[in-house]
Amino acid sequence: MQGFVFWLVYPLLWLISILPFWLFYFFSDLIYILVYYIIGYRKKTVEKNLKLAFPEKSESELISIKKKFYHHMCDMFLEMIKTLTISEGELKKHFVFINPKDIETVNNLGKGVLVMCGHYASYEWMISMELYGLKLKGHGIYKRIRNKYFDKLVKDIRGKFKTEMIESHRVVSTIARHQKNGLNGIYGMIADQTPKRANYKFWTDFMGVKVPFFTGSEKLAKDFDMPVYYLEVEKVKRGFYEARLKKITNNPQSEPDFFITTSFRDRLEAQIKAHPEYYLWTHKRFKHRNAPIPENAVVR
C-alpha cells in the first residue's frame, strides 16, 4: 500500500518540479487557496501560536501575518519538490551564501562543525552549502518518515548535492564513528524542536512564552567538541534567499551551560520578530507551556 501511494503521487511531484519558476509559483498560489481557504490546514494552531507570540498585535495584523505565512509555507513545500530537478546553477541563484568567507572559515577549523537553524525561511535549500566550496562532508539530521518510499524520496532530495542524511536516533553513534575515523563533517540540525517529556531539563522564554527547550544540539557540541554556527537565512523576495553562517562558539566545552541554546534562541527570535510570516507556525512549539516544570529542571 505504501508503494502504491508513492507511485501514485511521485509523477505529479516530478511534473511540478520541472515547471518554470513563473508557473511554479502560480501553482503555489493555487495550493495556497486550497490549503488556507478550503482545507484550513492547522489554522487554529497557527492562530493560537501567533496570539501567544504577539499578544500586542491587533487582530487585523495577526490575520495579515497568518495569510503571508500560508503563502510562504506553500512556496517552501513546493521548493523542496523543486529540488528534485533543480540544477546547481539555479539553486545558487535562488539560495545565496552572501559571504563565501563563512564557508572558508569552517573549512579551516580542523574539526567537525555543528550548524543550528530553525524552522524559518528556507531550511530545505541549505543543502546548497555544498556548492560554495565546502570541503567538509555535509550531513543533515532528520526524523525518519514512516512510509519508506517517501522517506527515501526526502533523503534523495536533501542529499541531491552530496549531503548525507542521518536519522536522529543514530546521530551520536554516527558522529562518534566519524571522529574515530578522522572524518570531519558539518552537521545541520533544526534546533527549535519541542523536546520529549523525558528531556524537560531546561525551560526558557521563547517569543515571551515559557516552554521546555531542546538542548540536544548543545549536548552534541559539548560531547564532541564541535564549533557551533547559526545558519541565518533571510528571504529577499519570493523564491530568493540569502544565507550567512554566524558563529556561536568555537570552544563549546568552555561555554557555560545553556549558552549555546540561548544564543541560538536569541538569533532565531530576532529573525521571527523582524519577519514573523517566515516562521513555521503550524509547528506546535508552545504545546507544553502549561506542563508542570520538573523540580530538577533549570529555568531561565
Side-chain angles (χ1 to χ4, degrees), residues 128-196:
S128 72
M129 195 183 304
E130 297 276 0
L131 308 178
Y132 284 87
L134 183 68
K135 295 177 182 177
L136 300 176
K137 172 67 177 176
H139 305 272
I141 300 167
Y142 87 115
K143 186 177 290 186
R144 184 180 181 87
I145 298 173
R146 290 182 181 179
N147 185 308
K148 64 180 182 181
Y149 298 95
F150 281 104
D151 183 71
K152 183 180 183 303
L153 176 63
V154 169
K155 287 170 71 174
D156 288 346
I157 288 174
R158 293 175 174 172
K160 182 178 175 69
F161 300 107
K162 300 179 182 180
T163 298
E164 178 184 338
M165 302 306 297
I166 305 172
E167 293 179 38
S168 54
H169 68 280
R170 293 179 178 171
V171 64
V172 173
S173 60
T174 301
I175 295 177
R177 185 177 71 253
H178 289 170
Q179 289 199 347
K180 181 179 179 181
N181 295 330
L183 302 174
N184 292 330
I186 187 164
Y187 304 89
M189 175 176 282
I190 297 179
D192 59 340
Q193 305 281 1
T194 300
K196 294 181 180 178

Side-chain angles (χ1 to χ4, degrees), residues 76 79-80 83 121-128 157-158:
M76 191 177 65
E79 285 165 0
M80 181 180 70
T83 313
S122 176
Y123 45 89
E124 290 294 345
W125 278 352
M126 65 185 289
I127 60 172
S128 72
I157 288 174
R158 293 175 174 172

